Amino acid sequence: MKHTLVVLVENKPGVLTHVSGLISRRNFNIESINAGYTEEADMSRITIEVDADDEYELEQVVNQLSKLIDVIKIIDLTGKDRVHRDLALIKVKASPENRAEIVNLAEIFRAHIVDVNKETMIIELTGEDVKIDAICELLDDYGIIEIVRTGKIAICRGPKAAKDL
Amino acid sequence: MKMTGAQAIIECLKKEDVQVVFGYPGGSVLTLYDALYMSGFPHVLPRHEQGAIHAADGYARATGKVGVCMATSGPGATNLITGIATAYMDSIPLVLITGQVAVSFLGRDSFQEADIRGITTPITKHNYLVRDVRDLPKIVKEAFYIARTGRPGPVLIDIPKNIFAEEIDFEYPAEVNLRGYTPICEGDSQTMNAVFDELKFAKKPLFFIGGGLNLSDTSEIMQKIIAYTGVPTVSSLMGLGCISSDDPHFFGMIGMHGTYAGNMSTTETDLLIGIGVRFDDRVTGRLDQFASNAKIVHFDIDPAEINKNVRANIRVIGDLRWTLEKFYQKLQEKPAKEWQDQFKPWLEKLSGWKKEKPLTYKKDTDEILPQPVIEKICEITEGNAVIVTDVGQNQMWTAQFYGFKHPRSLLTSGGLGTMGYGLPASMGAQVGKPNKKVICICGDGGFMMNCQELMTIADLNLPVKVMILNNQSLGMVAQWQREFYNSHYAHSCMRTKADFVEIARAMGVPAVRLDKKEEIEAVLKKAIFSEGPFLVDIRIPEEEDVLPMVPTGAGLNQMILGG
């Protein structure tokens, strides 16, 4: 089962390497990892999607990560009421004849066209990963040249910050 | 007070009450070494950086203090790696100070540059690269705090050359404030009730003790708990000595080379209480058959140890100094007599196993067997020596046949199994415990891996006694080849023209060869009661096995027995 972990860490060089290194060294299966600044200057937030076989494996991931001195807190958002998003930029073949079709398709998905030239378009889409998977499947017919995705980030609904959960 | 970074480090070491550092100089730490020279700070110079760190590790294990080790950048630092991993696996508190190329040279593949922070990340509890000399006192303070609190471990501080020379206004912080690190000391008292309830209904409980008791110096309270309840007790390699081997409740080591009584009781127990252990695969054998009839209780300071290898029904998280006291208090709710009566049949069953199948060896031989040699060393030292082993057959025979009585009396590389550990670690132990008899028991293979430290031992006139159980082969490797690889001795034979006695003498250590059975006692006594260092090259037969043995992939009750 996939779990979304929020890992709050000290904003120092090398911490992301430390976290990702620990996960791979302990032989856990990592689906996606994403790091960025937060509302506090000295804290970074890493969102990890990890595939755990059972609760024991998940517990090991959390407990091992907790041992890192630079890890401040780990919150498991799985099952909590939350918003999660992935950002994708998709470069797709777009001849003048099928350009309109692709624009229509993008509109249905509330995606943005961020670049157009004679042969291709770049589509920007944010959303849950299944939505991005869906547009990719449709765009495949036109010929996808390149996809870049950020991996999942997640935030809890309600008034509380993850660090206060 | 104004001072250089190098002087600041010396000040920090004094504030942390460090008595001695083990280190090896080199280009990037020359400023630090100059400060050591000027301050006259005690320093031990080994002949290899690996010797330095194993010595610091032996010092830490023998004394309970943080061991400190220094090395220069690049190759000096990478020579520490095996020692760092050794200490990490056995949770030994060390602070390692490595030099680094100057900040302006970082990342350019400069002369003697290695990313030691990156290299040591998986094998340190924490590590630092100092980029600003003003951070230095805070970082050293944190390093010592992290190394010795919670579950102990090695912490590395990498310091660029220019930082040693830059000036700061020195002030040592009074407190450490790390929001991501709050070591657990006190756990949840409620769990004691749960353990109490389980024990109340248990018929065949078993205490399984480990190195955590050594690290937390709690063997005394554990002995009280055992005496009060009468629960039989077994140990991991790292727990040996915490309970005296002649205690009637103690049934020795369990695992791959564990005792018959120990392994059988582990298989049969209905309540296994693991205390300061991490259920290493050398202990459990086949996991699904390990204590498969038992509920498992696990006492540990590190929550990540719970359910890592063996699933625990009850977790008792906290420092053993806290949890064992609480547990002992809770046990008093039932009188000692009632506990002891409850477990008496079970204790008798174990005693029967012990009597029926004790650890044994061939008696009718003219050859010098390692087991009686170890027994004789124990007899001569009255079980009071600090025994440092290398790794392999010598380590297992020592664990089986030296009757350990005291905590911190067996220093051995348990987790990593580092060959070459014994000699330098015994040197560090002797530095830390100058009035104790320190005896290094090693094989011929492991001895050669760091034999250069004989020279250091001679220079410092440390009275370490080195006993080489010399079978002219890599004994444990050969044993496995005999057992599982059709006796194909692929490169495990080391028949050599060289002579350990001559090697020792050349390095300044008196030495003799022991190759006659009738001379065992006289030679061992001469060595052990000699003033300074001494080496004995003991010629043992090539094909002597360590038994009992549980083959890999088997359950603990499927032992190959010896004798």
Side-chain angles (χ1 to χ4, degrees):
Chain A
M1 187 187 162
K2 284 179 189 169
H3 291 262
T4 309
L5 301 177
V6 169
V7 185
L8 300 173
V9 299
E10 297 287 348
N11 184 11
K12 283 186 195 162
V15 177
L16 179 64
T17 322
H18 214 147
V19 167
S20 58
L22 182 135
I23 292 176
S24 62
R25 169 167 69 96
R26 291 281 177 186
N27 205 18
F28 301 130
N29 197 8
I30 189 166
E31 297 277 317
S32 79
I33 187 163
N34 197 298
Y37 298 110
T38 66
E39 68 284 359
E40 287 180 38
D42 57 356
M43 191 168 82
S44 299
R45 179 164 170 148
I46 301 175
T47 311
I48 302 175
E49 205 181 5
V50 62
D51 196 4
D53 286 342
D54 52 35
E55 56 176 309
Y56 296 105
E57 191 178 332
L58 181 74
E59 185 193 15
Q60 265 298 305
V61 177
V62 172
N63 285 343
Q64 293 292 349
L65 280 176
S66 302
K67 282 168 73 168
L68 299 179
I69 310 288
D70 286 330
V71 168
I72 301 164
K73 192 168 181 181
I74 302 173
I75 307 106
D76 184 4
L77 289 188
T78 319
K80 293 208 165 59
D81 192 10
R82 70 190 197 272
V83 178
H84 54 89
R85 290 288 181 269
D86 202 332
L87 166 67
L89 293 171
I90 305 154
K91 189 184 284 179
V92 61
K93 282 184 189 157
S95 58
E97 299 86 72
N98 54 25
R99 204 178 275 158
E101 269 179 58
I102 296 174
V103 172
N104 278 342
L105 211 60
E107 256 171 39
I108 295 167
F109 281 90
R110 297 201 188 112
H112 303 288
I113 312 292
V114 291
D115 183 63
V116 184
N117 62 32
K118 279 185 194 164
E119 296 160 54
T120 64
M121 285 172 135
I122 298 173
I123 297 169
E124 175 199 315
L125 176 62
T126 57
E128 297 196 9
D129 43 2
V130 283
K131 179 175 163 187
I132 295 172
D133 292 345
I135 198 172
C136 288
E137 205 183 314
L138 289 170
L139 289 174
D140 218 18
D141 293 346
Y142 302 95
I144 291 173
I145 297 166
E146 196 177 6
I147 302 175
V148 52
R149 293 173 69 158
T150 57
K152 187 191 275 186
I153 56 168
I155 194 165
C156 262
R157 291 184 197 274
K160 278 192 175 166
K163 64 187 173 207
D164 302 319
L165 285 174
Chain B
M1 208 162 90
K2 282 260 182 237
M3 61 177 73
T4 64
Q7 288 165 333
I9 291 169
I10 311 275
E11 278 310 302
C12 295
L13 295 179
K14 287 180 184 164
K15 299 268 188 206
E16 292 294 337
D17 198 27
V18 175
Q19 308 291 325
V20 60
V21 296
F22 299 85
Y24 205 100
S28 71
V29 287
L30 283 179
T31 315
L32 177 61
Y33 268 77
D34 196 53
L36 276 173
Y37 179 88
M38 299 296 282
S39 66
F41 199 91
H43 176 274
V44 171
L45 174 72
R47 296 302 183 267
H48 188 299
E49 285 92 350
Q50 197 186 344
I53 183 158
H54 288 326
D57 173 305
Y59 174 90
R61 291 186 206 229
T63 62
K65 296 177 190 160
V66 179
V68 180
C69 179
M70 294 175 173
T72 192
S73 64
T78 54
N79 275 346
L80 300 178
I81 300 300
T82 303
I84 299 175
T86 304
Y88 183 68
M89 285 289 262
D90 290 341
S91 306
I92 305 305
L94 295 182
V95 169
L96 314 157
I97 296 170
T98 51
Q100 183 52 279
V101 300
V103 170
S104 56
F105 285 86
L106 275 173
R108 298 161 183 253
D109 297 331
S110 307
F111 178 65
Q112 294 198 327
E113 181 184 2
D115 172 19
I116 201 66
R117 215 187 146 211
I119 294 171
T120 59
T121 291
I123 51 169
T124 48
K125 190 171 170 190
H126 195 50
N127 62 16
Y128 295 91
L129 169 62
V130 183
R131 288 172 176 274
D132 186 333
V133 69
R134 287 168 297 181
D135 296 336
L136 200 50
K138 178 175 166 276
I139 286 175
V140 177
K141 175 93 185 171
E142 284 178 7
F144 275 92
Y145 177 71
I146 292 168
R148 68 159 75 96
T149 55
R151 177 181 186 169
V155 180
L156 182 137
I157 313 171
D158 196 30
I159 307 174
K161 185 177 167 115
N162 59 304
I163 303 272
F164 289 119
E166 286 170 18
E167 277 213 332
I168 48 163
D169 215 358
F170 181 78
E171 195 185 340
Y172 203 55
E175 275 178 15
V176 171
N177 190 7
L178 291 160
R179 57 181 167 167
Y181 181 67
T182 42
I184 297 167
C185 298
E186 299 192 358
D188 176 7
S189 314
Q190 291 299 314
T191 54
M192 297 305 157
N193 300 340
V195 184
F196 182 85
D197 289 344
E198 286 297 339
L199 197 57
K200 223 164 47 182
F201 295 108
K203 287 196 173 69
K204 301 171 177 178
L206 191 66
F207 289 138
F208 170 38
I209 60 165
L213 283 170
N214 258 324
L215 296 169
S216 58
D217 293 313
T218 47
S219 54
E220 214 170 297
I221 180 84
M222 190 66 221
Q223 285 160 20
K224 283 189 200 164
I225 290 171
I226 295 167
Y228 191 82
T229 54
V231 172
T233 303
V234 293
S235 168
S236 70
L237 173 66
M238 301 303 285
L240 289 175
C242 293
I243 305 306
S244 178
S245 57
D246 48 25
D247 187 309
H249 298 98
F250 187 65
F251 295 91
M253 182 170 78
I254 62 165
M256 186 171 273
H257 297 294
T259 61
Y260 180 79
N263 283 348
M264 291 308 284
S265 60
T266 310
T267 308
E268 243 193 78
T269 176
D270 60 0
L271 179 66
L272 184 79
I273 304 182
I275 299 167
V277 290
R278 57 186 186 84
F279 296 105
D280 178 81
D281 56 278
R282 279 292 189 272
V283 151
T284 59
R286 207 173 132 169
L287 262 181
D288 59 359
Q289 289 179 17
F290 177 75
S292 52
N293 302 314
K295 287 205 169 173
I296 310 264
V297 178
H298 194 175
F299 283 65
D300 209 289
I301 195 165
D302 181 0
E305 280 308 326
I306 314 281
N307 293 339
K308 187 181 76 179
N309 296 335
V310 168
R311 303 269 158 89
N313 300 86
I314 302 175
R315 54 181 77 191
V316 186
I317 295 169
D319 191 328
L320 291 180
R321 282 169 275 223
W322 185 86
T323 50
L324 288 182
E325 284 288 348
K326 282 273 171 217
F327 184 43
Y328 186 48
Q329 279 168 27
K330 180 74 193 170
L331 288 167
Q332 323 266 320
E333 287 178 23
K334 182 168 158 171
K337 175 87 173 50
E338 283 179 31
W339 282 123
Q340 289 162 17
D341 286 349
Q342 185 182 342
F343 305 132
K344 201 168 169 224
W346 171 231
L347 185 67
E348 277 168 3
K349 186 163 192 187
L350 265 79
S351 304
W353 277 328
K354 188 177 176 179
K355 213 165 157 189
E356 190 188 321
K357 292 192 173 130
L359 288 168
T360 185
Y361 51 86
K362 279 192 304 244
K363 310 272 169 164
D364 53 342
T365 170
D366 292 332
E367 293 176 303
I368 299 178
L369 291 186
Q371 303 91 336
V373 168
I374 305 281
E375 283 179 333
K376 190 51 86 179
I377 293 172
C378 182
E379 189 191 309
I380 296 170
T381 57
E382 294 170 355
N384 290 322
V386 174
I387 302 292
V388 188
T389 77
D390 212 86
V391 166
Q393 288 184 316
N394 63 86
Q395 179 184 33
M396 290 300 119
W397 284 320
T398 306
Q400 291 176 334
F401 290 95
Y402 189 94
F404 292 96
K405 283 187 190 160
H406 309 287
R408 296 192 185 279
S409 64
L410 169 61
L411 316 185
T412 192
S413 168
L416 198 67
T418 307
M419 276 177 76
Y421 172 82
L423 186 66
S426 59
M427 169 171 99
Q430 188 76 78
V431 168
K433 291 278 180 191
N435 300 322
K436 276 267 182 190
K437 281 225 178 300
V438 175
I439 295 176
C440 170
I441 297 172
C442 51
D444 45 318
F447 169 73
M448 275 313 284
M449 282 200 179
N450 273 315
C451 66
Q452 75 284 348
E453 300 311 332
L454 272 187
M455 204 187 270
T456 317
I457 288 170
D459 281 353
L460 298 173
N461 199 29
L462 293 169
V464 173
K465 317 301 174 194
V466 184
M467 308 288 175
I468 304 177
L469 299 176
N470 186 352
N471 53 10
Q472 300 195 63
S473 63
L474 302 177
M476 195 59 100
V477 172
Q479 178 173 337
W480 280 54
Q481 288 169 334
R482 209 156 30 243
E483 201 71 47
F484 311 116
Y485 294 88
N486 301 317
S487 295
H488 296 164
Y489 297 115
H491 309 287
S492 57
C493 300
M494 308 232 289
R495 274 174 223 104
T496 170
K497 289 175 184 160
D499 182 335
F500 288 139
V501 173
E502 292 295 330
I503 289 173
R505 287 180 184 157
M507 292 205 206
V509 173
V512 294
R513 172 167 306 139
L514 173 55
D515 51 11
K516 292 188 188 67
K517 196 181 176 189
E518 59 277 12
E519 289 175 1
I520 294 178
E521 179 155 0
V523 170
L524 291 179
K525 273 190 172 158
K526 180 184 171 195
I528 290 168
F529 294 123
S530 66
E531 289 258 316
F534 205 95
L535 180 142
V536 188
D537 176 23
I538 306 165
R539 293 306 181 98
I540 63 166
E542 263 173 64
E543 299 210 339
E544 186 61 22
D545 284 340
V546 178
L547 293 168
M549 180 179 191
V550 177
T552 326
L556 287 188
N557 57 344
Q558 295 162 293
M559 276 165 282
I560 305 168
L561 287 165

